Amino acid sequence: MALSRPFQYAQPKGALCCGSVALEGLVRRFGTPLYVYSADQIVERLGLFQQAFAGREHLVCYAVKANSALAILKLLAARGAGFDIVSGGELERVRKAAPEALSRVVFSGVGKTAAEIDLAIAAGILEFNVESEAELELLAARARRMKTRARFALRVNPDVFAETHPYISTGLREHKFGIDIRRALALYKQWAGNRWLQAQGVSVHIGSQIRSADPFGAAMERVHKLVRQLAAAGIALRSIDAGGGLGIDYHGCSFDAAAKVDEYAAAVQQALKGFDGMLLLEPGRFLVAQAGALVARVLQVKRSGSKTFVITDAAMNDLIRPALYQAHHEIVPVTPRRGRVRVVDVVGPVCESGDFFARDRKLAPVEPGDLVALLDAGAYGMVQSSNYNTRLRPAEVLVERGKARLIRRRETIEDLLAPELV
Ligand SMILES: *Cc1c(COP(=O)(O)O)cnc(C)c1O
């Protein structure tokens, strides 16, 4: 199956496009730094998940924290997706973008407040993924006050090692996430009879940017064993939530997304053979990362000793992944020019040595005024942006079937100063 690559050079002129839309034209309309997303690619990725699990009852609950733009949530909801949220704020995003999808929301996160729980109970969400015994008590107390039965899944920690960056690995006993799977059986037994709680399922999430299917299979085997033990004890769970975490190739020339999803689906379904309840999936990055690019303008090319610095008008406040996780993003010129490839550091103007996008990187020739695109920036990009250095956050554009539309205007200094009192 041939899959589209959203950012490609147009022939014969050779300028970088999103689908059929030239990035240069978008920059003329909306300025830089600019996030550009391909709606077509996001829809295609959701379709891959839905097809891979089509043989069984399932629901893809997109992890909102990867990219929470309202227009993207709406796009996914219209194609049947549910949502995995981690805060009351994300719940309000779903309500605004697609109120009909509130019943397809699962609420994860290690520290839910009473106010957030109340909001979610009132919204009638699908289930709470509960991460501690104390949270179970809190959920029961809030449900009782609201005279509504709350559906819960325990997020268990399967103690599976997933090879990824330590900041985004979550499935080991030493991590703050979830409940030790060895404790879960006793907890379900203790709480299953509670009048205000309904034991709906069990959930896991072992980490992010995981490239191999093996740890997903291993986690699911442990979860399935727990579900069988519960069934034997008379507690029949309706759903298993496999979490998110499927990774992409940030070096990405030969990435076969369809094959990756199929491999992942095979590992998960193999481990769940015999379980005929509902399967929930929470992909975030996999659906949106490669659909997005951050377009920036080169301000200066500065030589200092043996180093060459390409200074762009985008910075770590716009895309923090390289600084935070030593993440790699491919950087390409929007309009290639002739000349030699140089080894450079690509950096932003923020006053931190950590403000870099690439170090000692072979970069095609660029001059001040040129545009560059940081690829695969659709996940954990804009959502982690900040106003550090009193910088205004970028605008965002969504390209759908050859048409581009602004989905978030560039911030103004008035937006930024509005909450402050002198
Ligand atoms: C972050 C997160 C996800 C999504 O992870 P990706 O790596 O973006 O797929 C899914 N579920 C939970 C509970 C999460 O915290």
Side-chain angles (χ1 to χ4, degrees), residues 113-115 117-118 121 136-148 150 196:
T113 65
I117 288 174
D118 290 358
I121 291 176
L136 212 44
E137 282 166 24
L138 178 62
L139 180 61
R142 303 315 296 183
R144 184 163 155 249
R145 269 176 62 115
M146 298 180 69
K147 304 204 168 22
T148 307
W196 300 106

Side-chain angles (χ1 to χ4, degrees), residues 63 65-66 84 108 155 205 207-209 243-246 282-285 380:
K65 76 176 189 287
D84 169 50
S108 304
R155 172 168 172 184
H205 172 69
S208 197
Q209 183 52 12
L246 186 58
E282 302 173 347
R285 183 191 316 269
Y380 303 105

Side-chain angles (χ1 to χ4, degrees), residues 9 310 331-333 336-337 339-342 344 361-367 372:
Y9 289 103
V310 172
I331 304 175
V332 297
R337 54 166 76 240
R340 272 190 312 122
V341 167
R342 279 182 299 198
V344 302
R361 177 79 63 86
K362 279 186 185 150
L363 190 73
V366 291
E367 299 293 337
V372 292

Side-chain angles (χ1 to χ4, degrees), residues 13-25:
K13 255 192 73 189
L16 195 62
C17 292
C18 178
S20 57
V21 177
L23 297 184
E24 293 236 358

Side-chain angles (χ1 to χ4, degrees), residues 107-144:
F107 192 173
S108 304
V110 280
K112 304 177 188 75
T113 65
E116 287 176 318
I117 288 174
D118 290 358
L119 267 180
I121 291 176
I125 67 164
L126 181 59
E127 75 179 32
F128 288 85
N129 287 344
V130 170
E131 301 217 10
S132 66
E133 187 166 9
E135 189 189 328
L136 212 44
E137 282 166 24
L138 178 62
L139 180 61
R142 303 315 296 183
R144 184 163 155 249

Side-chain angles (χ1 to χ4, degrees), residues 372-396:
V372 292
L374 288 92
L375 301 181
D376 305 328
Y380 303 105
M382 184 63 175
V383 285
Q384 294 199 83
S385 65
S386 77
N387 295 114
Y388 188 39
N389 281 209
T390 306
R391 287 168 52 87
L392 305 171
R393 280 182 290 176
E396 296 178 287

